[in-house]
Amino acid sequence: KGTLTSLTFSPEINWDQGSRIMEIALVNNGIAKLGTMTNLTSLELAGEWIKTAEIKAIRNLVKLEELQMPGAEHVTPNDLEYLFSQLTNLKLVDISDCKKGASDMVVTALAQNNPQLEYLALDECELVTGKSLKVVAEKCPNLKYLSLNGCDEQVNDPVMLKIASSCPQLTHVRLAFSIITDVTLKQLATNCPNLSYVDVFGCDYITERGVGELMDGASKLKYLSISIDVREAFTEKIYKQ
């Protein structure tokens, strides 16, 4: 425990009796002792294993720079707010699918205490709104990776305009099934010169015009995911020119 700096606990892909026993052993003997592994800088846990007791252990890992625990549905907003008030060196955080725990209170605490944050994944976190996402924009100017897939109506133009203008180092943006419009695409292309990955699949208010402005302005763009109808309209527009 004195020298370990990176730790990953992940469930087996193919469950059988042996792997189930192994999982139980990891939970009882490994995760329970996390609080003693104080040199950890990177931690990845299967969310199904995380409850309040595990959060209390993780809070002692003050050197953590990377924390991934997607799918932690058994934690509460109070659990996560307390955790992110204790951990202040985080650069990478993935709490996707923490549908009951990830809230505005949590994201605000995370942003306020970790201004060096570069990677944030909040996919399917429906309790998170523009209120806390704007705090992220204000407090985390070094943000490079932002994933908000499935946050739906919480992700809109005012939120993304704030983020795009405050976080010019963004390279990866995932906004699938949000309600952004072409306005957001134009702002990203204008303010984020290193943008290389954009996912706006299922965004019903995106048009071929916005896609064109994004592709014209984002010179480093390598990946773009858009809905089929928008792609067809954009392709048809290109052919007509």
Side-chain angles (χ1 to χ4, degrees):
K1 69 181 181 181
T3 58
L4 190 65
T5 60
S6 181
L7 183 63
T8 298
F9 282 153
S10 60
E12 298 289 334
I13 296 175
N14 296 313
W15 289 110
D16 54 31
Q17 185 176 3
S19 61
R20 174 60 67 180
I21 292 173
M22 181 178 291
E23 179 200 8
I24 293 172
L26 283 172
V27 173
N28 291 341
N29 299 321
I31 298 182
K33 296 181 180 179
L34 276 177
T36 66
M37 302 177 185
T38 53
N39 282 322
L40 280 181
T41 58
S42 179
L43 178 62
E44 181 178 354
L45 298 171
E48 63 198 72
W49 295 345
I50 307 299
K51 297 180 182 178
T52 299
E54 285 69 43
I55 293 295
K56 290 180 178 179
I58 297 171
R59 74 186 182 189
N60 295 318
L61 308 179
V62 295
K63 293 183 180 180
L64 273 186
E65 296 180 2
E66 300 181 0
L67 177 60
Q68 300 179 70
M69 50 181 196
E73 294 191 356
H74 302 297
V75 298
T76 69
N78 287 335
D79 289 335
L80 292 179
E81 182 192 26
Y82 183 70
L83 178 65
F84 293 133
S85 68
Q86 301 298 304
L87 303 181
T88 59
N89 293 302
L90 294 169
K91 295 181 180 180
L92 182 154
V93 173
D94 183 352
I95 52 173
S96 299
D97 292 305
C98 296
K99 296 182 179 181
K100 298 178 182 178
S103 66
D104 280 338
M105 177 176 69
V106 170
V107 176
T108 297
L110 171 63
Q112 290 179 336
N113 292 295
N114 295 276
Q116 67 284 353
L117 194 66
E118 297 179 359
Y119 181 115
L120 179 60
L122 297 169
D123 298 341
E124 306 293 339
C125 293
E126 298 172 356
L127 298 180
V128 175
T129 74
K131 180 180 179 181
S132 61
L133 293 175
K134 288 180 180 179
V135 176
V136 171
E138 294 169 357
K139 300 295 184 180
C140 306
N142 297 322
L143 198 65
K144 297 178 181 179
Y145 182 107
L146 179 63
S147 188
L148 302 170
N149 282 352
C151 291
D152 302 334
E153 295 184 3
Q154 311 300 343
V155 181
N156 51 40
D157 283 338
V159 171
M160 288 310 304
L161 291 181
K162 177 68 175 178
I163 291 173
S165 61
S166 301
C167 305
Q169 297 186 50
L170 279 171
T171 61
H172 287 64
V173 179
R174 304 178 70 206
L175 309 171
F177 300 102
S178 67
I179 60 171
I180 62 165
T181 72
D182 294 343
V183 173
T184 288
L185 295 185
K186 183 176 181 179
Q187 189 78 346
L188 286 170
T190 301
N191 290 352
C192 304
N194 295 318
L195 196 65
S196 63
Y197 183 110
V198 175
D199 181 359
V200 288
F201 185 85
C203 297
D204 293 337
Y205 301 103
I206 295 293
T207 71
E208 66 276 11
R209 178 179 179 181
V211 171
E213 290 178 334
L214 176 66
M215 297 184 70
D216 288 341
S219 60
K220 295 184 178 180
L221 189 66
K222 297 179 179 179
Y223 178 92
L224 174 61
S225 177
I226 55 179
S227 299
I228 295 176
D229 56 340
V230 178
R231 183 172 70 236
E232 291 176 346
F234 178 73
T235 302
E236 182 180 353
K237 179 180 179 181
I238 294 296
Y239 283 146
K240 289 181 178 180
Q241 290 180 348

